[in-house]
Amino acid sequence: MTNEANDEFRAAGDAVYEALLERMGEGMPQPRLEATRRAVELLGDPQQSFSIVHLTGTNGKTSTSRLVESILRAYGLRTGLFTSPHLLRFNERIMIDGEPIGDETLAANWADIEPYLLMVDAELEEAGEPALTFFEAMTVLAFASFADAPVDVAVIEVGMGGEWDSTNVADGDVAVFTPISLDHTARLGNTIAEIAKTKSGIIKPAAAVVSAAQPAAAIAELRRAAELSEASLVEQGTDFEVLSSAPAVGGQLLSVRGLAGTYNELLLPLYGEHQAQNAAVAIAAVESFLGGGTQALSAEALTEGLATATSPGRLQLIGTEPPVLVDAAHNPAGAAALAAAVAENFDFDELTVVLGILTDKDAEGIVRALAPVASRFVVTQSGSERTRPFAELASLVSETAGLEAGVGVTATGSLAEALEAARAWAGEAPKRGVLVTGSITLIGDTMTIARDGTWSTR
């Protein structure tokens, strides 16, 4: 294919994203299913043409989704993977057989569904309701793309919540719950029980349900929902668990007791105890999908699936000399898991944290979780319209980490300048490193700067 043709297809793919951006943004999801259901109905319900593993939770959704998909693909199944948001390009959100959907295919699928989306927009407008949102339209696009491929099974990550999330027009054969904690409280509720109740809405009649270890209030809601739906629930710690994990070159070695077998010496190319727990949940989910939880997985397929899994933007080394790590932790629980993983897996004497957080996040909780591993903070902001102004965040960091822990704090509104300053400091002495975290948009922007600045490892 010529460069000219590649550029043409890339432009067509970018045009799809631009068209979606004209709709109501992801920060303002509509608590409804009827609009998405009407759109997929007009398209002949493409989401019914493949099996589905449906995931929700507060932390670990994307990593667990990618692990599930990788194991299923190692079994020879044709897979779809729907996650959000993206780091570099929109195509990353819709994966087919482990690769981002091609620009030509993306544009063709959009052209097929757009007339039907406009029909639904008109119906909604007539009823006095907002048109299909960015996420609603994107969900329809993903389902149509998976049906067109076609895939055997799609791993679908919820956008927000569960019960009224647009992905919930699909019926998951397996419903997976990663750890639930407080986040998006303005939308989902102010208590863990309320949030878990909303997320439990993805449990469908007679489905298999797999849950990570949960707070008591969360697991109580999941048990209630499973019982009402006559679904079978298995729980981490009781029905399956990580038996051991140890650092290894490029990741860690795991032993996992699954639902139907024990799997030893598994190489997981991801860092941190939280990723080991995600892997155990993923294994139980695949056991539930393939054999109803009663048949052990193929050692060969499981080994390949885990060993080839990736989770970009999750404790990922994107630069060396000095080392630069990025992680998309954006709430206190995620930040605490990140801090523990850094301490466990990296031998830094000093670490600068480049931090940018969105306005609707618990910034104080995130800073408190990161302070124990930070020698200093460089506070900045991403290009998101929802980013917290750097000066405001710097004041909070100074009060929380600077005064209490004696951690140095500097600030700049330019992410590029923040990265340059952090890398310069880290390069002045051995065993220093840089950690960039606080929001997914900050990580995406950082990866772009690293690539354009030629210091990226890729």
Side-chain angles (χ1 to χ4, degrees):
M1 187 179 296
T2 65
N3 289 335
E4 184 177 340
N6 277 329
D7 291 344
E8 182 180 338
F9 290 141
R10 186 180 179 89
D14 290 342
V16 173
Y17 184 43
E18 293 298 326
L20 284 165
L21 287 174
E22 293 177 2
R23 296 177 174 273
M24 188 179 295
E26 292 179 273
M28 299 181 64
Q30 295 298 298
R32 64 187 184 187
L33 284 181
E34 293 76 12
T36 308
R37 186 171 286 125
R38 173 60 174 155
V40 293
E41 179 185 70
L42 290 172
L43 288 165
D45 286 316
Q47 79 282 4
Q48 294 181 5
S49 66
F50 43 83
S51 299
I52 289 175
V53 178
H54 203 179
L55 293 95
T56 188
T58 305
N59 290 299
K61 292 191 300 295
T62 300
S63 292
T64 306
S65 296
R66 295 180 73 96
L67 288 164
V68 170
E69 184 275 336
S70 189
I71 299 169
L72 290 172
R73 182 158 36 89
Y75 261 88
L77 296 172
R78 191 161 204 218
T79 59
L81 175 64
F82 180 55
T83 61
S84 60
H86 61 277
L87 288 170
L88 298 176
R89 289 200 74 215
F90 172 77
N91 307 51
E92 298 166 17
R93 302 187 185 214
I94 302 173
M95 308 274 283
I96 296 173
D97 276 342
E99 296 292 337
I101 189 170
D103 288 310
E104 183 179 11
T105 303
L106 179 67
N109 289 336
W110 177 254
D112 286 341
I113 72 167
E114 187 175 27
Y116 298 96
L117 299 182
L118 295 176
M119 287 173 60
V120 176
D121 288 342
E123 292 174 0
L124 290 168
E125 183 179 354
E126 186 175 347
E129 295 186 35
L132 289 165
T133 66
F134 177 106
F135 194 78
E136 287 170 332
M138 182 178 66
T139 300
V140 177
L141 175 60
F143 288 153
S145 297
F146 294 150
D148 177 70
V151 302
D152 299 311
V153 54
V155 180
I156 306 294
E157 178 188 333
V158 162
M160 184 183 293
E163 181 181 15
W164 44 259
D165 185 79
S166 61
T167 63
N168 206 31
V169 299
D171 295 329
D173 301 271
V174 181
V176 180
F177 295 86
T178 63
I180 296 170
S181 59
L182 295 176
D183 199 10
H184 299 296
T185 53
R187 294 278 181 173
L188 303 180
N190 293 313
T191 68
I192 286 177
E194 290 175 324
I195 293 172
K197 183 176 181 180
T198 299
K199 292 181 184 294
S200 72
I202 71 168
I203 297 175
K204 301 300 171 65
V209 184
V210 177
S211 176
Q214 302 287 359
I219 199 63
E221 286 295 334
L222 299 186
R223 290 169 180 165
R224 176 197 60 78
E227 183 177 357
L228 288 174
S229 298
E230 298 183 346
S232 60
L233 170 65
V234 294
E235 302 174 24
Q236 188 173 19
T238 302
D239 301 295
F240 63 95
E241 62 184 333
V242 175
L243 297 175
S244 65
S245 64
V249 176
Q252 54 189 307
L253 283 177
L254 308 179
S255 290
V256 174
R257 175 174 67 87
L259 301 176
T262 297
Y263 312 100
N264 296 310
E265 298 297 301
L266 298 169
L267 175 62
L268 178 68
L270 304 174
Y271 296 104
E273 172 64 18
H274 61 296
Q275 294 291 15
Q277 302 300 331
N278 289 340
V281 173
I283 289 169
V286 175
E287 287 179 313
S288 297
F289 178 77
L290 291 177
T294 62
Q295 182 177 338
L297 299 181
S298 156
E300 182 180 358
L302 179 56
T303 298
E304 178 186 344
L306 290 182
T308 57
T310 61
S311 193
R314 275 73 184 177
L315 201 50
Q316 179 182 357
L317 183 70
I318 66 164
T320 57
E321 297 182 358
V324 179
L325 296 163
V326 296
D327 191 275
H330 56 277
N331 55 47
L338 169 60
V342 169
E344 291 167 6
N345 292 277
F346 297 92
D347 187 26
F348 295 125
D349 284 343
E350 296 179 284
L351 185 70
T352 282
V353 176
V354 177
L355 186 69
I357 300 174
L358 301 185
T359 55
D360 59 344
K361 300 300 179 180
D362 180 1
E364 183 176 345
I366 292 171
V367 173
R368 289 189 185 280
L370 294 173
V373 298
S375 304
R376 62 201 294 271
F377 283 90
V378 179
V379 178
T380 187
Q381 60 191 45
S382 70
S384 170
E385 61 184 16
R386 295 189 294 131
T387 194
R388 187 183 295 260
F390 76 96
E392 174 188 315
L393 180 58
S395 177
L396 183 150
V397 174
S398 294
E399 293 174 4
T400 304
L403 296 180
E404 295 182 10
V407 177
V409 181
T410 60
T412 173
S414 165
L415 175 57
E417 291 179 4
L419 292 170
E420 182 179 357
R423 292 181 68 245
W425 171 86
E428 291 173 357
K431 300 184 73 173
R432 281 182 173 181
V434 177
L435 171 64
V436 186
T437 190
S439 80
I440 296 174
T441 54
L442 187 78
I443 300 313
D445 291 349
T446 296
M447 293 172 78
T448 299
I449 291 170
R451 181 192 61 199
D452 295 345
T454 70
W455 52 269
S456 171
T457 57
R458 294 180 179 271

